[in-house]
Amino acid sequence: MIKNIEHGVMGMDIQYRRLTEKELDMFLEMRICQLREEGATEDLDLRSALRDYYTRHMADGTFISWLAVDGDKIVGTSGMSFIEKPPYFRCPNGRIGLLSSMFTSKDYRRRGIAKELLSRVVNEAREYGCGSVQITASDMGVLLYTDFGFTKNGNFMQLQL
């Protein structure tokens, strides 16, 4: 096959498109696969809760996702939830993007797919008016995000309820 110069992927014709209801079931399965790969061991079926979340937030425009597709198979996912906090000096409108669902199937990794997906969802956050994008990165994702320009915030803390 011919090299796809636009995406830097040898031997594949990867297409990028926005997530729609039509792909939601496949997207859910990839999200669950991602969570398991990152170490989740709970015996809980999240499909219904995930479907409800994505359906509601896609409908009101507060969640978007770009997919990487090879033929009829989703091989990469991304997600951005838009939330609003009280305004602060670095973000006067209070809008921030929460990055999630960054996942590439094992056979497609290290080929620039995640970087392309990340670029697309970050552009969406910029267009939405977000002052920043935040993520809790997996060990595997840290290099991608730092190469893209993300910096660690030593003050980020979390209380599990």
Side-chain angles (χ1 to χ4, degrees):
M1 291 185 120
I2 300 172
K3 182 176 181 180
N4 182 335
I5 295 171
E6 179 183 344
H7 303 112
V9 179
M10 182 68 77
M12 289 179 279
D13 186 23
I14 303 299
Q15 303 295 314
Y16 295 90
R17 65 177 181 242
R18 291 272 302 262
L19 172 67
T20 66
E21 288 278 336
K22 185 177 80 172
E23 299 98 1
L24 193 52
D25 284 338
M26 275 195 288
F27 181 82
L28 296 178
E29 293 307 316
M30 289 195 72
R31 177 66 176 152
I32 290 166
C33 182
Q34 173 193 6
L35 294 171
R36 293 288 183 214
E37 191 173 295
E38 291 174 352
T41 58
E42 293 82 1
D43 185 24
L44 179 66
D45 187 354
L46 283 180
R47 287 170 186 82
S48 179
L50 286 169
R51 183 175 289 104
D52 176 63
Y53 175 86
Y54 292 128
T55 301
R56 284 185 296 112
H57 291 282
M58 286 170 58
D60 72 11
T62 58
F63 177 81
I64 59 96
S65 171
W66 278 88
L67 307 174
V69 181
D70 185 11
D72 61 354
K73 181 171 137 185
I74 297 173
V75 299
T77 61
S78 64
M80 184 74 68
S81 297
F82 301 119
I83 66 166
E84 194 169 339
K85 296 171 52 172
Y88 53 101
F89 288 109
R90 286 191 164 182
C91 187
N93 67 9
R95 293 181 184 167
I96 64 170
L98 298 178
L99 185 61
S100 66
S101 306
M102 290 295 301
F103 186 72
T104 305
S105 297
K106 286 183 181 181
D107 293 344
Y108 290 82
R109 292 181 182 162
R110 314 278 326 143
R111 300 178 185 192
I113 292 171
K115 184 177 179 182
E116 179 66 25
L117 290 169
L118 180 59
S119 177
R120 289 173 186 252
V121 292
V122 166
N123 285 337
E124 296 267 1
R126 191 175 287 113
E127 289 173 16
Y128 192 82
C130 293
S132 70
V133 171
Q134 300 174 1
I135 186 171
T136 303
S138 67
D139 293 342
M140 203 170 19
V142 169
L143 183 59
L144 168 69
Y145 304 124
T146 54
D147 283 352
F148 198 86
F150 283 71
T151 56
K152 290 184 180 179
N153 181 345
N155 292 332
F156 180 79
M157 299 175 73
Q158 177 174 305
L159 173 64
Q160 190 67 39
L161 301 176

Short mmCIF file of all heavy atoms in Angstrom, two decimals, residues 21-76:
data_model
loop_
_atom_site.label_atom_id
_atom_site.label_comp_id
_atom_site.label_asym_id
_atom_site.label_seq_id
_atom_site.Cartn_x
_atom_site.Cartn_y
_atom_site.Cartn_z
N GLU A 21 -24.07 8.91 17.14
CA GLU A 21 -24.84 7.85 17.82
C GLU A 21 -24.58 6.49 17.18
O GLU A 21 -24.58 5.47 17.86
CB GLU A 21 -26.33 8.17 17.77
CG GLU A 21 -26.74 9.31 18.68
CD GLU A 21 -26.95 8.89 20.12
OE1 GLU A 21 -27.23 7.71 20.37
OE2 GLU A 21 -26.83 9.76 20.99
N LYS A 22 -24.36 6.48 15.87
CA LYS A 22 -24.18 5.24 15.13
C LYS A 22 -22.99 4.42 15.64
O LYS A 22 -23.04 3.20 15.68
CB LYS A 22 -24.00 5.57 13.64
CG LYS A 22 -23.91 4.37 12.73
CD LYS A 22 -23.80 4.78 11.28
CE LYS A 22 -22.40 5.17 10.96
NZ LYS A 22 -22.11 5.41 9.56
N GLU A 23 -21.92 5.10 16.06
CA GLU A 23 -20.72 4.40 16.52
C GLU A 23 -20.66 4.26 18.04
O GLU A 23 -19.68 3.74 18.57
CB GLU A 23 -19.45 5.15 16.09
CG GLU A 23 -19.26 5.30 14.61
CD GLU A 23 -19.72 6.67 14.10
OE1 GLU A 23 -20.17 7.51 14.91
OE2 GLU A 23 -19.66 6.88 12.89
N LEU A 24 -21.69 4.69 18.74
CA LEU A 24 -21.63 4.77 20.20
C LEU A 24 -21.36 3.41 20.86
O LEU A 24 -20.55 3.33 21.79
CB LEU A 24 -22.89 5.41 20.78
CG LEU A 24 -22.83 5.83 22.24
CD1 LEU A 24 -21.61 6.71 22.53
CD2 LEU A 24 -24.11 6.54 22.65
N ASP A 25 -21.97 2.35 20.40
CA ASP A 25 -21.73 1.03 21.03
C ASP A 25 -20.27 0.61 20.90
O ASP A 25 -19.68 0.12 21.86
CB ASP A 25 -22.66 -0.03 20.42
CG ASP A 25 -24.08 0.09 20.94
OD1 ASP A 25 -24.29 0.69 22.02
OD2 ASP A 25 -25.00 -0.39 20.25
N MET A 26 -19.66 0.81 19.72
CA MET A 26 -18.24 0.47 19.55
C MET A 26 -17.37 1.37 20.43
O MET A 26 -16.38 0.93 21.00
CB MET A 26 -17.82 0.60 18.08
CG MET A 26 -18.11 -0.62 17.25
SD MET A 26 -17.23 -0.61 15.66
CE MET A 26 -18.14 0.66 14.79
N PHE A 27 -17.74 2.65 20.51
CA PHE A 27 -17.01 3.61 21.34
C PHE A 27 -17.03 3.16 22.81
O PHE A 27 -16.00 3.19 23.49
CB PHE A 27 -17.62 5.00 21.18
CG PHE A 27 -16.93 6.07 21.97
CD1 PHE A 27 -15.78 6.68 21.49
CD2 PHE A 27 -17.44 6.49 23.19
CE1 PHE A 27 -15.14 7.68 22.21
CE2 PHE A 27 -16.81 7.49 23.92
CZ PHE A 27 -15.66 8.08 23.43
N LEU A 28 -18.21 2.72 23.29
CA LEU A 28 -18.33 2.26 24.67
C LEU A 28 -17.41 1.07 24.94
O LEU A 28 -16.76 1.00 25.99
CB LEU A 28 -19.77 1.86 24.99
CG LEU A 28 -20.84 2.94 24.93
CD1 LEU A 28 -22.21 2.34 25.21
CD2 LEU A 28 -20.53 4.05 25.90
N GLU A 29 -17.38 0.13 24.01
CA GLU A 29 -16.52 -1.05 24.19
C GLU A 29 -15.05 -0.65 24.25
O GLU A 29 -14.29 -1.20 25.05
CB GLU A 29 -16.77 -2.07 23.08
CG GLU A 29 -18.15 -2.70 23.12
CD GLU A 29 -18.51 -3.31 24.47
OE1 GLU A 29 -17.67 -4.01 25.09
OE2 GLU A 29 -19.65 -3.08 24.94
N MET A 30 -14.65 0.32 23.42
CA MET A 30 -13.25 0.77 23.46
C MET A 30 -12.96 1.49 24.77
O MET A 30 -11.87 1.35 25.33
CB MET A 30 -12.93 1.63 22.25
CG MET A 30 -12.88 0.80 20.99
SD MET A 30 -12.12 1.62 19.60
CE MET A 30 -10.40 1.64 20.06
N ARG A 31 -13.91 2.27 25.28
CA ARG A 31 -13.72 2.97 26.56
C ARG A 31 -13.54 1.96 27.69
O ARG A 31 -12.65 2.11 28.53
CB ARG A 31 -14.92 3.89 26.84
CG ARG A 31 -14.87 4.60 28.16
CD ARG A 31 -13.74 5.61 28.25
NE ARG A 31 -13.80 6.34 29.51
CZ ARG A 31 -12.76 6.85 30.12
NH1 ARG A 31 -11.55 6.77 29.58
NH2 ARG A 31 -12.89 7.50 31.26
N ILE A 32 -14.35 0.93 27.70
CA ILE A 32 -14.23 -0.11 28.73
C ILE A 32 -12.89 -0.84 28.60
O ILE A 32 -12.20 -1.09 29.59
CB ILE A 32 -15.43 -1.08 28.65
CG1 ILE A 32 -16.70 -0.34 29.12
CG2 ILE A 32 -15.18 -2.34 29.48
CD1 ILE A 32 -17.99 -1.04 28.80
N CYS A 33 -12.49 -1.14 27.38
CA CYS A 33 -11.19 -1.77 27.13
C CYS A 33 -10.06 -0.88 27.66
O CYS A 33 -9.12 -1.36 28.31
CB CYS A 33 -11.03 -2.04 25.64
SG CYS A 33 -9.50 -2.86 25.19
N GLN A 34 -10.16 0.42 27.40
CA GLN A 34 -9.16 1.36 27.90
C GLN A 34 -9.09 1.34 29.42
O GLN A 34 -8.00 1.26 30.00
CB GLN A 34 -9.49 2.77 27.42
CG GLN A 34 -8.59 3.84 28.03
CD GLN A 34 -9.09 5.25 27.81
OE1 GLN A 34 -10.18 5.46 27.29
NE2 GLN A 34 -8.29 6.21 28.21
N LEU A 35 -10.23 1.43 30.07
CA LEU A 35 -10.26 1.44 31.54
C LEU A 35 -9.66 0.16 32.11
O LEU A 35 -8.91 0.19 33.09
CB LEU A 35 -11.69 1.63 32.04
CG LEU A 35 -12.32 3.00 31.72
CD1 LEU A 35 -13.80 3.00 32.06
CD2 LEU A 35 -11.59 4.12 32.44
N ARG A 36 -9.96 -0.99 31.49
CA ARG A 36 -9.40 -2.27 31.94
C ARG A 36 -7.89 -2.29 31.73
O ARG A 36 -7.13 -2.72 32.60
CB ARG A 36 -10.05 -3.45 31.21
CG ARG A 36 -11.51 -3.64 31.54
CD ARG A 36 -11.70 -4.18 32.93
NE ARG A 36 -13.12 -4.43 33.20
CZ ARG A 36 -13.66 -4.28 34.38
NH1 ARG A 36 -12.94 -3.90 35.41
NH2 ARG A 36 -14.94 -4.52 34.55
N GLU A 37 -7.44 -1.79 30.57
CA GLU A 37 -6.01 -1.78 30.29
C GLU A 37 -5.26 -0.88 31.27
O GLU A 37 -4.10 -1.12 31.59
CB GLU A 37 -5.76 -1.32 28.85
CG GLU A 37 -4.35 -1.53 28.39
CD GLU A 37 -4.16 -1.23 26.93
OE1 GLU A 37 -4.73 -1.94 26.09
OE2 GLU A 37 -3.42 -0.27 26.63
N GLU A 38 -5.93 0.16 31.75
CA GLU A 38 -5.32 1.08 32.71
C GLU A 38 -5.39 0.56 34.14
O GLU A 38 -4.95 1.23 35.06
CB GLU A 38 -5.97 2.46 32.60
CG GLU A 38 -5.64 3.16 31.31
CD GLU A 38 -6.39 4.47 31.11
OE1 GLU A 38 -7.29 4.78 31.93
OE2 GLU A 38 -6.08 5.17 30.15
N GLY A 39 -5.97 -0.64 34.33
CA GLY A 39 -5.92 -1.27 35.63
C GLY A 39 -7.23 -1.42 36.38
O GLY A 39 -7.22 -1.94 37.50
N ALA A 40 -8.35 -0.98 35.82
CA ALA A 40 -9.63 -1.13 36.51
C ALA A 40 -9.97 -2.61 36.64
O ALA A 40 -9.90 -3.37 35.68
CB ALA A 40 -10.74 -0.41 35.75
N THR A 41 -10.34 -3.03 37.85
CA THR A 41 -10.65 -4.44 38.09
C THR A 41 -12.06 -4.64 38.64
O THR A 41 -12.47 -5.76 38.90
CB THR A 41 -9.65 -5.05 39.09
OG1 THR A 41 -9.70 -4.30 40.30
CG2 THR A 41 -8.23 -5.05 38.51
N GLU A 42 -12.79 -3.56 38.84
CA GLU A 42 -14.13 -3.66 39.42
C GLU A 42 -15.03 -4.53 38.56
O GLU A 42 -14.95 -4.51 37.33
CB GLU A 42 -14.76 -2.26 39.56
CG GLU A 42 -14.08 -1.36 40.56
CD GLU A 42 -12.83 -0.66 40.02
OE1 GLU A 42 -12.47 -0.84 38.85
OE2 GLU A 42 -12.18 0.05 40.80
N ASP A 43 -15.89 -5.28 39.22
CA ASP A 43 -16.86 -6.13 38.52
C ASP A 43 -18.17 -5.34 38.41
O ASP A 43 -19.10 -5.55 39.18
CB ASP A 43 -17.06 -7.44 39.29
CG ASP A 43 -17.96 -8.40 38.53
OD1 ASP A 43 -18.06 -8.28 37.30
OD2 ASP A 43 -18.58 -9.26 39.20
N LEU A 44 -18.20 -4.44 37.46
CA LEU A 44 -19.33 -3.53 37.29
C LEU A 44 -19.54 -3.29 35.80
O LEU A 44 -18.58 -3.07 35.08
CB LEU A 44 -19.01 -2.21 38.00
CG LEU A 44 -20.01 -1.08 37.95
CD1 LEU A 44 -21.28 -1.46 38.70
CD2 LEU A 44 -19.40 0.17 38.57
N ASP A 45 -20.77 -3.35 35.34
CA ASP A 45 -21.06 -3.09 33.93
C ASP A 45 -21.38 -1.61 33.77
O ASP A 45 -22.44 -1.15 34.19
CB ASP A 45 -22.23 -3.96 33.46
CG ASP A 45 -22.47 -3.84 31.96
OD1 ASP A 45 -21.80 -3.02 31.29
OD2 ASP A 45 -23.34 -4.58 31.45
N LEU A 46 -20.47 -0.88 33.17
CA LEU A 46 -20.61 0.57 32.99
C LEU A 46 -21.37 0.97 31.73
O LEU A 46 -21.60 2.15 31.51
CB LEU A 46 -19.23 1.23 32.94
CG LEU A 46 -18.48 1.42 34.23
CD1 LEU A 46 -17.14 2.09 33.95
CD2 LEU A 46 -19.28 2.24 35.21
N ARG A 47 -21.72 0.02 30.87
CA ARG A 47 -22.29 0.36 29.56
C ARG A 47 -23.49 1.31 29.64
O ARG A 47 -23.56 2.29 28.92
CB ARG A 47 -22.64 -0.90 28.78
CG ARG A 47 -21.43 -1.63 28.26
CD ARG A 47 -21.78 -3.01 27.69
NE ARG A 47 -20.59 -3.74 27.32
CZ ARG A 47 -19.83 -4.44 28.18
NH1 ARG A 47 -20.15 -4.50 29.46
NH2 ARG A 47 -18.77 -5.08 27.74
N SER A 48 -24.43 1.01 30.50
CA SER A 48 -25.64 1.83 30.61
C SER A 48 -25.30 3.25 31.07
O SER A 48 -25.80 4.23 30.51
CB SER A 48 -26.62 1.17 31.58
OG SER A 48 -27.77 1.96 31.71
N ALA A 49 -24.46 3.37 32.09
CA ALA A 49 -24.07 4.69 32.61
C ALA A 49 -23.28 5.47 31.56
O ALA A 49 -23.50 6.67 31.38
CB ALA A 49 -23.27 4.54 33.89
N LEU A 50 -22.37 4.79 30.87
CA LEU A 50 -21.60 5.46 29.82
C LEU A 50 -22.51 5.92 28.68
O LEU A 50 -22.40 7.05 28.20
CB LEU A 50 -20.51 4.53 29.27
CG LEU A 50 -19.30 4.31 30.17
CD1 LEU A 50 -18.44 3.18 29.63
CD2 LEU A 50 -18.49 5.59 30.32
N ARG A 51 -23.41 5.03 28.25
CA ARG A 51 -24.34 5.38 27.15
C ARG A 51 -25.17 6.60 27.53
O ARG A 51 -25.34 7.53 26.74
CB ARG A 51 -25.24 4.20 26.79
CG ARG A 51 -26.16 4.49 25.61
CD ARG A 51 -26.97 3.28 25.17
NE ARG A 51 -26.09 2.29 24.54
CZ ARG A 51 -25.66 1.16 25.12
NH1 ARG A 51 -26.04 0.83 26.33
NH2 ARG A 51 -24.87 0.34 24.46
N ASP A 52 -25.67 6.61 28.77
CA ASP A 52 -26.47 7.75 29.24
C ASP A 52 -25.64 9.04 29.22
O ASP A 52 -26.08 10.07 28.72
CB ASP A 52 -26.98 7.47 30.66
CG ASP A 52 -27.72 8.65 31.24
OD1 ASP A 52 -28.78 9.03 30.68
OD2 ASP A 52 -27.25 9.22 32.25
N TYR A 53 -24.43 8.98 29.76
CA TYR A 53 -23.57 10.17 29.80
C TYR A 53 -23.29 10.70 28.40
O TYR A 53 -23.50 11.88 28.11
CB TYR A 53 -22.24 9.85 30.51
CG TYR A 53 -21.28 11.03 30.45
CD1 TYR A 53 -21.34 12.02 31.42
CD2 TYR A 53 -20.36 11.16 29.42
CE1 TYR A 53 -20.51 13.12 31.36
CE2 TYR A 53 -19.53 12.25 29.34
CZ TYR A 53 -19.60 13.23 30.31
OH TYR A 53 -18.79 14.33 30.24
N TYR A 54 -22.79 9.82 27.53
CA TYR A 54 -22.40 10.28 26.19
C TYR A 54 -23.61 10.76 25.39
O TYR A 54 -23.53 11.76 24.68
CB TYR A 54 -21.65 9.18 25.44
CG TYR A 54 -20.29 8.88 26.05
CD1 TYR A 54 -19.92 7.58 26.37
CD2 TYR A 54 -19.38 9.89 26.31
CE1 TYR A 54 -18.69 7.30 26.93
CE2 TYR A 54 -18.14 9.62 26.87
CZ TYR A 54 -17.80 8.33 27.18
OH TYR A 54 -16.58 8.06 27.73
N THR A 55 -24.73 10.09 25.51
CA THR A 55 -25.92 10.49 24.77
C THR A 55 -26.37 11.90 25.19
O THR A 55 -26.62 12.77 24.35
CB THR A 55 -27.07 9.47 24.97
OG1 THR A 55 -26.62 8.20 24.50
CG2 THR A 55 -28.31 9.88 24.20
N ARG A 56 -26.46 12.13 26.49
CA ARG A 56 -26.89 13.45 26.99
C ARG A 56 -25.91 14.55 26.61
O ARG A 56 -26.31 15.62 26.14
CB ARG A 56 -27.03 13.42 28.52
CG ARG A 56 -28.26 12.73 29.02
CD ARG A 56 -28.45 12.83 30.54
NE ARG A 56 -27.37 12.16 31.29
CZ ARG A 56 -26.45 12.79 32.03
NH1 ARG A 56 -26.47 14.10 32.15
NH2 ARG A 56 -25.51 12.11 32.67
N HIS A 57 -24.63 14.29 26.80
CA HIS A 57 -23.65 15.35 26.59
C HIS A 57 -23.30 15.57 25.12
O HIS A 57 -22.91 16.68 24.74
CB HIS A 57 -22.43 15.11 27.47
CG HIS A 57 -22.74 15.30 28.92
ND1 HIS A 57 -22.86 16.54 29.50
CD2 HIS A 57 -23.03 14.41 29.90
CE1 HIS A 57 -23.18 16.41 30.77
NE2 HIS A 57 -23.28 15.13 31.04
N MET A 58 -23.44 14.56 24.29
CA MET A 58 -23.31 14.79 22.85
C MET A 58 -24.47 15.66 22.37
O MET A 58 -24.29 16.55 21.55
CB MET A 58 -23.27 13.46 22.09
CG MET A 58 -21.95 12.72 22.24
SD MET A 58 -21.98 11.02 21.60
CE MET A 58 -22.45 11.26 19.90
N ALA A 59 -25.66 15.39 22.90
CA ALA A 59 -26.86 16.13 22.49
C ALA A 59 -26.77 17.61 22.86
O ALA A 59 -27.19 18.47 22.08
CB ALA A 59 -28.12 15.51 23.10
N ASP A 60 -26.21 17.92 24.03
CA ASP A 60 -26.14 19.34 24.42
C ASP A 60 -24.82 20.01 24.05
O ASP A 60 -24.58 21.16 24.37
CB ASP A 60 -26.46 19.52 25.91
CG ASP A 60 -25.37 19.03 26.85
OD1 ASP A 60 -24.25 18.72 26.41
OD2 ASP A 60 -25.64 18.97 28.07
N GLY A 61 -23.94 19.27 23.36
CA GLY A 61 -22.69 19.86 22.87
C GLY A 61 -21.59 19.96 23.91
O GLY A 61 -20.56 20.59 23.65
N THR A 62 -21.75 19.32 25.07
CA THR A 62 -20.71 19.41 26.09
C THR A 62 -19.79 18.19 26.10
O THR A 62 -18.94 18.06 27.00
CB THR A 62 -21.32 19.62 27.50
OG1 THR A 62 -22.22 18.55 27.79
CG2 THR A 62 -22.05 20.96 27.59
N PHE A 63 -19.95 17.31 25.13
CA PHE A 63 -18.98 16.22 24.91
C PHE A 63 -18.83 16.01 23.41
O PHE A 63 -19.83 15.93 22.68
CB PHE A 63 -19.42 14.89 25.55
CG PHE A 63 -18.45 13.77 25.25
CD1 PHE A 63 -17.29 13.64 25.99
CD2 PHE A 63 -18.67 12.89 24.21
CE1 PHE A 63 -16.36 12.64 25.70
CE2 PHE A 63 -17.76 11.88 23.91
CZ PHE A 63 -16.60 11.76 24.66
N ILE A 64 -17.58 15.95 22.97
CA ILE A 64 -17.30 15.62 21.57
C ILE A 64 -16.21 14.56 21.55
O ILE A 64 -15.44 14.41 22.51
CB ILE A 64 -16.87 16.85 20.73
CG1 ILE A 64 -15.60 17.53 21.31
CG2 ILE A 64 -17.98 17.87 20.64
CD1 ILE A 64 -14.36 17.08 20.65
N SER A 65 -16.17 13.83 20.47
CA SER A 65 -15.15 12.82 20.30
C SER A 65 -14.77 12.73 18.83
O SER A 65 -15.63 12.82 17.96
CB SER A 65 -15.66 11.45 20.76
OG SER A 65 -14.76 10.43 20.40
N TRP A 66 -13.49 12.56 18.59
CA TRP A 66 -13.00 12.22 17.26
C TRP A 66 -12.56 10.77 17.28
O TRP A 66 -12.00 10.30 18.28
CB TRP A 66 -11.83 13.13 16.87
CG TRP A 66 -12.29 14.45 16.35
CD1 TRP A 66 -12.55 15.57 17.09
CD2 TRP A 66 -12.57 14.79 15.00
NE1 TRP A 66 -12.97 16.58 16.27
CE2 TRP A 66 -12.99 16.14 14.98
CE3 TRP A 66 -12.51 14.08 13.79
CZ2 TRP A 66 -13.34 16.80 13.81
CZ3 TRP A 66 -12.86 14.74 12.63
CH2 TRP A 66 -13.27 16.08 12.64
N LEU A 67 -12.82 10.08 16.19
CA LEU A 67 -12.46 8.67 16.04
C LEU A 67 -11.44 8.51 14.91
O LEU A 67 -11.48 9.25 13.93
CB LEU A 67 -13.70 7.85 15.68
CG LEU A 67 -14.92 7.98 16.57
CD1 LEU A 67 -16.09 7.22 15.98
CD2 LEU A 67 -14.60 7.50 17.98
N ALA A 68 -10.59 7.52 15.06
CA ALA A 68 -9.73 7.06 13.97
C ALA A 68 -10.34 5.75 13.49
O ALA A 68 -10.59 4.85 14.29
CB ALA A 68 -8.31 6.85 14.45
N VAL A 69 -10.60 5.66 12.19
CA VAL A 69 -11.30 4.51 11.64
C VAL A 69 -10.48 3.91 10.51
O VAL A 69 -9.99 4.62 9.63
CB VAL A 69 -12.70 4.95 11.12
CG1 VAL A 69 -13.47 3.76 10.58
CG2 VAL A 69 -13.49 5.64 12.23
N ASP A 70 -10.34 2.58 10.55
CA ASP A 70 -9.68 1.83 9.48
C ASP A 70 -10.75 0.92 8.88
O ASP A 70 -11.14 -0.07 9.50
CB ASP A 70 -8.51 1.02 10.03
CG ASP A 70 -7.71 0.32 8.94
OD1 ASP A 70 -7.92 0.60 7.75
OD2 ASP A 70 -6.86 -0.53 9.30
N GLY A 71 -11.25 1.29 7.71
CA GLY A 71 -12.36 0.55 7.11
C GLY A 71 -13.61 0.78 7.94
O GLY A 71 -14.04 1.90 8.15
N ASP A 72 -14.17 -0.31 8.48
CA ASP A 72 -15.38 -0.18 9.32
C ASP A 72 -15.04 -0.38 10.81
O ASP A 72 -15.92 -0.56 11.63
CB ASP A 72 -16.45 -1.17 8.88
CG ASP A 72 -16.00 -2.62 9.00
OD1 ASP A 72 -14.81 -2.87 9.31
OD2 ASP A 72 -16.83 -3.52 8.77
N LYS A 73 -13.75 -0.32 11.14
CA LYS A 73 -13.30 -0.60 12.50
C LYS A 73 -12.73 0.66 13.15
O LYS A 73 -11.86 1.33 12.59
CB LYS A 73 -12.21 -1.68 12.40
CG LYS A 73 -11.62 -2.13 13.69
CD LYS A 73 -10.73 -3.34 13.42
CE LYS A 73 -9.44 -3.26 14.18
NZ LYS A 73 -8.53 -4.32 13.87
N ILE A 74 -13.25 0.99 14.34
CA ILE A 74 -12.69 2.10 15.12
C ILE A 74 -11.38 1.61 15.73
O ILE A 74 -11.36 0.61 16.44
CB ILE A 74 -13.65 2.57 16.21
CG1 ILE A 74 -14.94 3.11 15.59
CG2 ILE A 74 -12.99 3.64 17.09
CD1 ILE A 74 -16.02 3.45 16.61
N VAL A 75 -10.29 2.33 15.47
CA VAL A 75 -8.98 1.93 15.99
C VAL A 75 -8.40 2.94 16.97
O VAL A 75 -7.38 2.68 17.60
CB VAL A 75 -7.98 1.67 14.84
CG1 VAL A 75 -8.49 0.52 13.95
CG2 VAL A 75 -7.73 2.92 14.02
N GLY A 76 -9.06 4.09 17.10
CA GLY A 76 -8.61 5.10 18.05
C GLY A 76 -9.76 6.00 18.46
O GLY A 76 -10.65 6.26 17.66
#
